[in-house]
């Protein structure tokens, strides 16, 4: 079957975004990758697939370079928003989970292209020797330190890759706080960025306010999420939107995403979450701001 989001993006929304001037100098695409491998992780649906083959990833990075894009990190992006700096052809590259193939397959391509990136680690999955979890190998702390020395940034993706929305306040503080402390200890540098595991429940305002306060109290200054879109000035700094990329992203679709053609999907995504949230409330009672049912 044809991929509806691709058709709508390339043939409707991307042309419309160019017509309306949505390729603003004050919009930054933050791309999110996971595994750079052929591992399908049981997901055959192009929308949910989290792997990008090494050959596709290499083609995407080389196209970015040839198209004039340059990478910045999240802190540079936030500072540029505050000072009104030019952000045309700037892109942020992020990688969730901490798979070993970042070290073996992604980093050599990034280095060839002169690109930087931020890797968000689920800290319990990173060990002194490579851990294999559900058929996937993860980075070791030695590799993390080596990558950090080469200019790769690291952030927290919680301790256990937990669904924070289902946890109580003490568990949430542990997932956010201990992962930060562990990564800081291993790389010898502050960790100020967080990537929310699973789909961000952005429709639950009480929970997101509580989570933002907790992140700030623990010393984080910014965070990214699964909300779809490019980052604009005024976005909530702890739940910045990103653009998912995988093996199904040909260069035409990648260009459309970078130039605002995929931002439309945030609204169907939000309404889908909103509908499921309300169904859950009706089925199981309300939820307090700390994430526990009552």
């Amino acid at each position: 079957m044809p991929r509806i989001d691709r058709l709508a993006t390339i043939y409707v929304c991307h042309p419309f975004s160019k017509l309306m001037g949505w390729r603003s100098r004050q919009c930054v695409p933050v791309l999110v990758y996971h595994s750079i491998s052929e591992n399908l992780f049981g997901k055959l649906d192009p929308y949910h697939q989290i792997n990008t083959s090494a050959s596709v990833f290499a083609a995407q990075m080389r196209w970015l370079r040839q198209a004039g894009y340059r990478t910045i990190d999240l802190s540079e992006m936030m500072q540029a928003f505050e000072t009104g700096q030019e952000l045309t052809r700037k892109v942020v590259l992020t990688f969730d989970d901490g798979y070993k193939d970042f070290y073996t397959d992604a980093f050599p391509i990034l280095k060839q292209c002169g690109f930087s990136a931020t890797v968000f680690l689920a800290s319990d999955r990173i060990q002194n020797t490579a851990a294999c979890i559900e058929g996937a190998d993860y980075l070791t702390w030695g590799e993390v330190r080596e990558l950090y020395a080469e200019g790769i940034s690291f952030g927290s993706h919680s301790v256990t890759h937990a669904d924070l929305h289902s946890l109580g306040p003490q568990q949430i503080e542990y997932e956010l706080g201990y992962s930060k402390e562990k990564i800081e200890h291993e790389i010898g540098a502050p960790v100020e960025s967080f990537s929310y595991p699973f789909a961000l429940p952005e429709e639950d305002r009480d929970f997101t306010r509580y989570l933002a306060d907790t992140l700030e109290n623990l010393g984080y200054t910014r965070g990214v999420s699964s909300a779809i879109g490019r980052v604009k000035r005024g976005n909530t700094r702890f739940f910045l939107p990103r653009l998912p990329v995988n093996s199904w992203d040909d260069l035409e679709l990648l260009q459309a995403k970078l130039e605002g053609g995929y931002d439309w999907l945030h609204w169907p995504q939000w309404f889908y979450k909103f509908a499921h949230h309300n169904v859950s409330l009706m089925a199981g009672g309300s939820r307090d701001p700390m994430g526990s049912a009552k």
Side-chain angles (χ1 to χ4, degrees):
M1 292 180 62
R3 185 176 169 182
I4 295 174
D5 65 320
R6 182 185 186 278
L7 295 175
T9 296
I10 290 176
Y11 297 110
V12 179
C13 298
H14 187 210
F16 186 72
S17 69
K18 290 193 289 185
L19 180 66
M20 298 299 293
W22 290 349
R23 289 182 295 174
S24 167
R25 293 180 299 173
Q26 293 301 307
C27 294
V28 178
V30 178
L31 304 185
V32 53
Y33 290 91
H34 289 78
S35 174
I36 307 304
S37 71
E38 300 289 349
N39 190 343
L40 292 178
F41 295 90
K43 298 289 187 181
L44 299 179
D45 181 349
Y47 181 82
H48 293 104
Q49 193 168 306
I50 65 168
N51 77 294
T52 307
S53 72
S55 60
V56 170
F57 178 74
Q60 292 170 347
M61 293 302 103
R62 288 167 182 152
W63 181 88
L64 284 174
R65 185 72 184 179
Q66 292 166 3
Y69 281 91
R70 297 296 179 267
T71 55
I72 56 175
D73 64 26
L74 290 167
S75 63
E76 291 172 318
M77 178 187 71
M78 299 305 287
Q79 183 178 14
F81 280 130
E82 291 175 3
T83 59
Q85 295 177 38
E86 172 67 46
L87 287 167
T88 302
R89 298 281 172 175
K90 299 298 190 297
V91 63
V92 179
L93 302 178
T94 65
F95 295 76
D96 281 4
D97 299 331
Y99 294 110
K100 190 180 187 70
D101 50 58
F102 179 84
Y103 180 84
T104 57
D105 294 277
F107 179 66
I109 297 299
L110 295 174
K111 192 170 184 178
Q112 288 176 14
C113 294
F115 286 169
S116 62
T118 298
V119 180
F120 291 99
L121 303 175
S123 58
D124 256 11
R125 300 183 180 187
I126 313 302
Q127 306 292 332
N128 290 325
T129 57
C132 182
I133 301 171
E134 296 178 352
D137 293 328
Y138 286 80
L139 292 166
T140 66
W141 285 120
E143 290 163 346
V144 168
R145 288 189 289 270
E146 183 180 339
L147 290 166
Y148 180 74
E150 291 278 358
I152 298 301
S153 300
F154 288 91
S156 166
H157 200 38
S158 79
V159 175
T160 63
H161 201 285
D163 181 0
L164 301 180
H165 198 225
S166 67
L167 303 182
Q170 290 183 331
Q171 294 169 298
I172 291 174
E173 188 164 340
Y174 168 76
E175 290 284 344
L176 305 184
Y178 182 72
S179 60
K180 183 179 191 296
E181 292 176 7
K182 178 64 175 177
I183 299 166
E184 288 176 338
H185 173 75
E186 294 291 344
I187 66 174
V191 169
E192 299 180 337
S193 300
F194 180 75
S195 173
Y196 189 90
F198 295 97
L200 175 70
E202 55 187 312
E203 77 291 342
D204 190 340
R205 297 292 183 86
D206 290 335
F207 175 75
T208 54
R209 277 194 295 267
Y210 162 73
L211 191 62
D213 288 343
T214 304
L215 287 165
E216 186 167 23
N217 291 337
L218 289 170
Y220 291 96
T221 61
R222 55 196 170 268
V224 293
S225 72
S226 60
I228 293 174
R230 296 171 302 163
V231 177
K232 305 173 183 64
R233 185 172 184 173
N235 284 139
T236 303
R237 63 189 173 104
F238 288 115
F239 308 118
L240 300 171
R242 293 189 287 180
L243 296 166
V245 187
N246 60 35
S247 283
W248 291 85
D249 286 85
D250 55 73
L251 298 181
E252 189 176 12
L253 179 55
L254 178 64
Q255 181 179 2
K257 287 184 175 184
L258 291 162
E259 296 179 354
Y262 208 66
D263 292 6
W264 69 273
L265 201 59
H266 176 249
W267 293 111
Q269 180 192 47
W270 188 91
F271 281 113
Y272 177 84
K273 292 186 211 175
F274 179 78
H276 278 256
H277 176 69
N278 285 335
V279 168
S280 297
L281 288 179
M282 289 185 289
S286 62
R287 176 179 292 274
D288 70 24
M290 306 306 182
S292 58
K294 65 177 184 179

